[in-house]
């Protein structure tokens, strides 16, 4: 197999295996076609992030190409340019010598150009009797022909990534706007749902935005925001379906006509009792208002730790207790869907009491979210009530107080 001649840099400039590889690849490449030097320059410029080039390095490459006569690079023409540093600096908008040498090194390391140094390190050309260049020392532009297809492919990939970046950024902006306004609707209209948790999650996601995001950062933020949008939308859709269902029930009730006003007394008392006993286990607690059975003071005696999350480290109302429960449930790792389901079954105040009791026994519970879902399922079947749980916690606190005394 024939191999081309591998040249090494002059002086103290090191020779690396990567430089050897670039020279061998350029020698083995089929340089049978000519290319537009400014077309390949634009491709290199578009792909500069993939090639590790800075803008000033592109300015130096532009200057090098300007020293090559003609608009095309062809294998049968001399592809070595040999301008001095002073000439390069003048055509690179007066770039400093130190920066110029750094940029030339970048272009060599990136495989854009190849050094062909003379015996003394100077750049010049030796002409023959007919005036044509027989040998030249400087920078070879052959890699631009050998890698033209690669540079074009990289430029297309970068352009496609930029399009994906813009599309993802636009989608994130829209989803962020939608989530913000949907949460505001739920809060301002006092709709059922854990809107405080949704607000906290929204603020958390937005707080992780970086000033100069990458496509990966935007994709991760879009996934999180889309998931929150789905949860908020589902909550609003559930509320809308419930409202329509209630309206249909009322409308159906208006069509029930009975001229006998005493028809309800015709039911047998024993049958009414059985019906009441049968439906009692599935009866849900009231969702709004203060639980009539449990005074707030008793709840706070049973669950004193939750008071630390109230305004100023204390709780003076049921609203403050429910707000503190939202904070505590996030600390416990309870998902918004689990807490929302608990609110639907036990009511918001009941869910806050359950969270307070779970927080008191967090050291004995492996998964607070799974425990809350289990309590909710039992409450839905009529197999659980908050009373025994509260009284057990009161007794535990009393025994702990006596043992510490």
């Amino acid at each position: 197999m024939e191999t081309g001649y591998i040249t090494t840099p002059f002086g103290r400039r090191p020779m690396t295996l990567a430089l050897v590889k670039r020279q061998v690849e350029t020698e083995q490449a089929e340089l049978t076609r000519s290319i537009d030097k400014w077309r390949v320059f634009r491709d290199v410029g578009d792909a500069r992030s993939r090639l590790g080039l800075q803008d000033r390095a592109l300015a130096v490459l532009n200057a090098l190409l300007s020293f090559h006569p003609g608009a095309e690079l062809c294998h049968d023409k001399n592809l070595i340019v040999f301008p001095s540093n002073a000439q390069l600096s003048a055509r690179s908008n007066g770039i400093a010598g130190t920066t110029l040498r750094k940029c030339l090194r970048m272009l060599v390391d990136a495989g854009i150009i190849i050094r062909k140094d003379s015996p003394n390190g100077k750049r010049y050309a030796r002409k023959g009797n007919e005036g044509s260049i027989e040998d030249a020392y400087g920078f070879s532009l052959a890699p631009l022909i050998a890698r033209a297809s690669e540079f074009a492919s990289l430029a297309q990939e970068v352009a496609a990534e930029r399009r994906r970046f813009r599309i993802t950024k636009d989608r994130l902006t829209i989803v962020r706007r939608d989530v913000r306004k949907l949460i505001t609707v739920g809060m301002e209209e006092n709709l059922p749902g854990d809107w405080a948790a949704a607000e906290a999650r929204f603020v958390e996601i937005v707080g992780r935005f970086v000033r100069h995001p990458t496509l990966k950062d935007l994709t991760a933020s879009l996934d999180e925001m889309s998931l929150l949008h789905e949860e908020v939308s589902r909550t609003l859709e559930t509320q809308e379906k419930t409202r329509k269902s209630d309206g249909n029930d009322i409308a159906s009730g208006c069509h029930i006509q009975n001229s006998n006003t005493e028809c309800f007394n015709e039911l047998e008392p024993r049958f009414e009792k059985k019906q009441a006993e049968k439906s009692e286990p599935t009866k849900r607690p009231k969702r709004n208002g203060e639980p009539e059975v449990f005074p707030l003071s008793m709840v706070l005696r049973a669950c004193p730790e939750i008071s630390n999350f109230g305004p100023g480290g204390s709780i003076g109302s049921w609203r403050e207790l429910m707000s503190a429960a939202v904070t505590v449930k996030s600390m416990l790792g309870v998902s918004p869907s689990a807490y929302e389901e608990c609110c639907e079954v036990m009511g918001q105040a009941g869910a806050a009491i359950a969270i307070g009791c779970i927080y008191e026994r967090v050291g004995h519970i492996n998964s607070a979210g799974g425990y809350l879902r289990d309590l909710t399922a039992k409450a839905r079947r009529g197999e659980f009530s908050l009373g025994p749980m509260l009284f057990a916690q009161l007794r535990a606190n009393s025994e702990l107080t006596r043992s510490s005394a």
Side-chain angles (χ1 to χ4, degrees):
M1 181 181 68
E2 295 183 1
T3 58
Y5 183 81
I6 298 176
T7 181
T8 60
F10 170 78
R12 297 182 179 180
R13 299 192 189 102
M15 186 65 181
T16 63
L17 183 60
L19 295 179
V20 174
K21 181 180 178 181
R22 289 298 185 193
Q23 290 191 37
V24 172
E25 290 176 348
T26 302
E27 290 290 341
Q28 294 178 349
E30 296 183 1
L31 308 181
T32 57
R33 64 190 182 96
S34 61
I35 61 170
D36 186 338
K37 65 181 182 180
W38 300 120
R39 174 65 180 272
V40 71
F41 173 75
R42 287 193 296 271
D43 290 340
V44 171
D46 292 339
R48 62 183 179 276
S49 59
R50 300 286 185 89
L51 299 171
L53 299 178
Q54 298 177 354
D55 293 342
R56 290 191 174 185
L58 292 177
V60 174
L61 178 60
N62 179 80
L64 287 172
L65 289 173
S66 69
F67 284 99
H68 182 275
E72 292 187 345
L73 300 177
C74 186
H75 72 286
D76 57 357
K77 295 182 180 179
N78 179 43
L79 294 175
I80 296 177
V81 292
F82 40 89
S84 65
N85 283 356
Q87 292 173 320
L88 275 177
S89 176
R91 294 197 185 184
S92 303
N93 302 320
I95 191 173
T98 303
T99 306
L100 175 64
R101 289 189 290 272
K102 180 181 178 182
C103 292
L104 288 172
R105 185 168 61 252
M106 284 184 182
L107 293 172
V108 172
D109 293 342
I112 309 298
I113 59 176
I114 295 176
R115 287 184 183 273
K116 186 180 178 183
D117 287 346
S118 65
N120 61 1
K122 301 295 183 180
R123 301 174 201 140
Y124 59 87
R126 184 178 289 113
K127 297 183 179 181
N129 295 331
E130 298 179 357
S132 60
I133 296 178
E134 292 184 347
D135 201 2
Y137 299 96
F139 299 102
S140 173
L141 303 178
L144 292 174
I145 302 179
R147 302 180 65 191
S149 299
E150 178 187 351
F151 295 147
S153 177
L154 288 176
Q156 292 175 0
E157 290 179 5
V158 171
E161 185 174 342
R162 287 176 180 171
R163 285 194 297 270
R164 290 195 298 270
F165 182 91
R166 291 193 297 268
I167 291 173
T168 305
K169 187 175 182 181
D170 291 344
R171 288 178 178 173
L172 178 59
T173 300
I174 294 173
V175 175
R176 177 184 177 181
R177 179 191 66 199
D178 293 343
V179 171
R180 173 67 278 171
K181 293 190 176 183
L182 291 176
I183 292 177
T184 302
V185 169
M187 287 183 168
E188 291 182 350
E189 298 189 12
N190 295 322
L191 300 178
D194 194 357
W195 300 111
E199 172 78 10
R201 181 73 184 282
F202 176 82
V203 173
E204 179 186 359
I205 296 173
V206 174
R208 288 198 297 269
F209 287 0
V210 296
R211 187 170 184 179
H212 301 289
T214 62
L215 178 60
K216 184 178 180 181
D217 296 330
L218 289 178
T219 302
S221 299
L222 178 59
D223 291 341
E224 290 183 315
M225 195 66 74
S226 298
L227 181 60
L228 180 58
H229 182 276
E230 182 180 350
E231 293 177 359
V232 173
S233 299
R234 186 165 53 247
T235 302
L236 292 176
E237 289 173 1
T238 302
Q239 174 62 22
E240 181 65 17
K241 289 179 181 178
T242 303
R243 185 186 65 80
K244 289 183 178 179
S245 176
D246 294 343
N248 291 336
D249 292 343
I250 294 174
S252 299
C254 291
H255 292 287
I256 299 177
Q257 298 180 2
N258 194 329
S259 59
N260 187 356
T261 58
E262 297 181 358
C263 62
F264 296 103
N265 297 328
E266 294 178 359
L267 295 174
E268 295 181 4
R270 186 174 300 176
F271 179 75
E272 289 183 61
K273 184 176 181 180
K274 289 182 179 180
Q275 287 292 96
E277 290 175 354
K278 184 177 179 181
S279 61
E280 186 64 28
T282 59
K283 184 179 179 180
R284 297 183 183 179
K286 294 182 179 180
R287 298 182 55 182
N288 52 5
E290 175 182 337
E292 298 177 357
V293 181
F294 313 117
L296 179 62
S297 58
M298 185 187 77
V299 174
L300 296 179
R301 287 199 306 272
C303 310
E305 295 296 330
I306 199 172
S307 298
N308 297 326
F309 300 92
S314 63
I315 293 176
S317 65
W318 284 101
R319 181 176 294 275
E320 291 178 356
L321 175 65
M322 289 184 281
S323 178
V326 171
T327 303
V328 173
K329 70 95 178 172
S330 300
M331 294 174 53
L332 294 174
V334 176
S335 65
S337 59
Y339 188 71
E340 180 182 346
E341 185 179 3
C342 183
C343 290
E344 290 177 357
V345 176
M346 302 184 189
Q348 292 186 0
I353 294 174
I355 288 293
C357 292
I358 292 175
Y359 188 65
E360 291 292 325
R361 303 184 63 250
V362 67
H364 305 282
I365 299 174
N366 293 330
S367 173
Y371 188 76
L372 184 65
R373 285 188 184 276
D374 185 59
L375 294 181
T376 303
K378 290 181 178 179
R380 190 186 298 276
R381 298 192 302 266
E383 300 173 0
F384 169 79
S385 62
L386 291 169
M389 190 179 189
L390 269 178
F391 293 134
Q393 193 60 48
L394 278 172
R395 286 194 300 269
N397 292 343
S398 300
E399 291 174 0
L400 181 62
T401 302
R402 285 196 299 268
S403 61
S404 62

